[in-house]
Amino acid sequence: MKATTIGDVLSILTGIIADTTSRRDPLGYFAALYRQVTLEVKNGIVAGSFDDGPRMSGFDASFANRYFAAYETYTSGGTPTRSWQFAFDRVRTGKLIILQNLLLGINAHVNLDLGVVTGTKFRGSALSGFHADFDHLNEILASLIPRVRAVIEQFSPRIGELTELADDAPELALRFSVEAARDDAWRIATLLSVTPSTFVAPAVELIDGKAKLVGRVVADQPEPVASIVRHIRAAESTDVAAIITALDSVV
């Protein structure tokens, strides 16, 4: 699975969603969200809201290819990057709530993949010319959060109990994850854009390790939060196919 245009990305994601839906595999949750984000990015390209539409289409493909490589490696029995391995393993346990599933995917793809692709694709001074489109890409993801929250609430009737910890906690968790990861990804890109090629791979290993640690924070909650999460999970829908379909319909 390798994309060269945003159209390819949508086609590959559609295939992953169809496969995970038929197998009732919760790995399809993130794929569904990702396809919706990609549709909005494509709409933005068509509308001319990016500084360079063709550049964004190519970048979107390069960005997605890291997820596709991780997914294909994992589902074929191989070992992807540590942050993706952790995310996929935890999702497959069936013990996480929908919100955690999505946050793990966002973490691995933004905290690792986005910074790596941006920093290696736009080297040196070329990076500054991509900053506006980089920010707009992440604004699109953030704009979908209220609609994603609505889907989560549809299948997770107790998710609102997280508000005992913070007002509007589900949306805040998604929004903070996106915003914090975006800012970290730009810092990573800035570093990698000036890193000599021989040191890029070791640097990416370190970044991957950090992203895995963030994933642990998302998935392995301490008490009393862990008890609340289990309580929420007990009431969540087990209709994986319906959840995937709903997440793939927010745009």
Side-chain angles (χ1 to χ4, degrees), residues 159-210:
I159 192 69
E161 295 184 22
L162 284 177
T163 57
E164 296 175 6
L165 303 176
D167 291 341
D168 297 321
E171 184 167 331
L172 284 172
L174 284 166
R175 190 173 299 281
F176 176 77
S177 178
V178 169
E179 292 176 355
R182 174 200 65 197
D183 293 343
D184 199 41
W186 186 255
R187 285 190 290 269
I188 289 167
T190 301
L191 172 66
L192 291 180
S193 72
V194 295
T195 299
S197 58
T198 53
F199 296 108
V200 168
V204 171
E205 281 290 314
L206 291 173
I207 296 162
D208 185 26
K210 178 184 176 183

Side-chain angles (χ1 to χ4, degrees), residues 1 10-25 27-29 31-32 35 67 71 240-241 244-245 248:
M1 296 186 293
L10 288 168
S11 178
I12 294 170
L13 286 170
T14 298
I16 293 174
I17 291 165
D19 178 58
T20 52
T21 300
S22 67
R23 292 187 292 103
R24 295 174 175 78
D25 186 341
L27 291 185
Y29 295 171
R35 197 180 84 87
Y67 163 64
Y71 180 86
V240 174
I244 294 173
T245 299
D248 193 34

Side-chain angles (χ1 to χ4, degrees), residues 106-156:
I106 291 170
N107 171 60
H109 201 38
V110 180
N111 276 327
L112 173 65
D113 296 342
L114 181 58
V116 170
V117 172
T118 305
T120 54
K121 195 173 183 67
F122 301 102
R123 302 283 291 169
S125 60
L127 182 63
S128 61
F130 184 64
H131 201 174
D133 279 352
F134 177 91
D135 283 347
H136 188 49
L137 175 66
N138 287 281
E139 287 166 2
I140 288 173
L141 176 55
S143 72
L144 294 178
I145 289 174
R147 282 175 274 178
V148 174
R149 176 186 174 178
V151 170
I152 293 173
E153 290 175 337
Q154 179 184 348
F155 293 94
S156 185

